[in-house]
Amino acid sequence: MPYDPSAFPPFAVTVDLVVLTVRRHALCALAVRRGEPPFQGRWALPGGFVRADEDLAQAAARELAEETGLRVHDPAVPAQDNGAHLEQLATYGDPGRDPRMRVVSVAHLALAPDLPAPRAGGDASNARWAPVGELLQQGGYGRDGEAAAPLAFDHAQILSDGVERARSKIEYSSLATAFCPPEFTVGELRRVYEAVWGVALDPRNFHRKVTGTPGFLVPTGGTTTRQGGRPAQLFRAGGATLLNPPMLRPEV
């Protein structure tokens, strides 16, 4: 029998973005309030439909730029200001995940240093950074006196998966530096680990581990007093992508 594409039901493909940053020493995610049905008025992750002329990576990069103004950081070149780490997270295809039609979503994880207030775009009526603990609390998320409600679609599961990916990946890779500016102190890097893991770390042990891990950090030769106190040495990310030994997450 010849292949007949009309024998198969059509479906759409979207990209959803788990955009994480550290603000005020807390791990935060970008959330948008939906301005149109379905789930109008509910908070959700940013994202949108993949266009006919773009692949998944292009769609994710476009949505990231539209929602945050960020461009994707190319790991092959030195760190850039206003750049973000972007990687594919997982695919979600439950038949009932979108009431409009059959929609398969390819979620992406984006990480960037402390970011300014976001701007709403597309069909979003509002956008904000929110602590991931608030977005994922059992009763749902609400702000400014509004009724709490779960995130739209299956975005709570997608966000939870993205947070766990970040928490586990900074154990064995240099991904934590994606939350830092191009030059940073060991104290600033430690606060990233503390925010992502939700734990307090011993400053001396942390300093010894990160500076003793080959290829993790490279001294820039400069210092800063932006954290107050005595001048602190500045570092940049080294060439290592995998950490040996790994930075194991403390038991909580």
Side-chain angles (χ1 to χ4, degrees), residues 17-214:
L17 299 176
V18 178
V19 187
L20 301 179
T21 193
V22 175
R23 290 171 60 87
R24 301 182 183 91
H25 309 308
L27 182 64
C28 295
L30 181 60
V32 298
R33 193 201 300 272
R34 290 188 56 78
E36 299 177 0
F39 305 107
Q40 185 172 8
R42 294 262 289 273
W43 290 90
L45 298 176
F49 287 94
V50 178
R51 296 172 179 170
D53 61 346
E54 61 187 2
D55 62 24
L56 294 172
Q58 291 170 334
R62 172 180 55 77
E63 287 289 343
L64 182 66
E66 290 176 357
E67 298 286 356
T68 68
L70 288 169
R71 64 180 181 273
V72 177
H73 168 59
D74 182 353
V77 300
Q80 311 166 64
D81 291 335
N82 203 31
H85 168 90
L86 182 68
E87 66 179 62
Q88 195 172 120
L89 174 62
T91 302
Y92 301 83
D94 186 285
R97 64 178 304 274
D98 192 318
R100 293 169 293 189
M101 62 182 296
R102 182 70 192 275
V103 177
V104 173
S105 178
V106 182
H108 288 70
L109 175 65
L111 310 176
D114 185 23
L115 298 172
R119 62 176 187 271
D123 65 352
S125 62
N126 196 359
R128 74 181 304 257
W129 294 107
V132 296
E134 295 181 12
L135 290 170
L136 295 173
Q137 60 192 358
Q138 188 173 5
Y141 177 71
R143 61 172 303 213
D144 300 334
E146 68 187 19
L151 297 181
F153 305 103
D154 52 359
H155 288 185
Q157 182 62 57
I158 297 175
L159 175 59
S160 179
D161 293 345
V163 170
E164 182 53 36
R165 166 76 68 87
R167 286 174 173 166
S168 62
K169 200 165 182 178
I170 65 173
E171 291 189 80
Y172 62 86
S173 79
S174 58
L175 190 63
T177 59
F179 288 103
C180 296
E183 295 186 357
F184 52 88
T185 68
V186 170
E188 289 168 338
L189 181 63
R190 187 187 78 249
R191 282 184 280 276
V192 167
Y193 275 89
E194 291 177 332
V196 175
W197 283 345
V199 298
L201 300 173
D202 180 78
R204 290 187 177 181
N205 286 341
F206 182 84
H207 191 285
R208 175 175 51 81
K209 288 180 180 179
V210 297
T211 56
T213 300

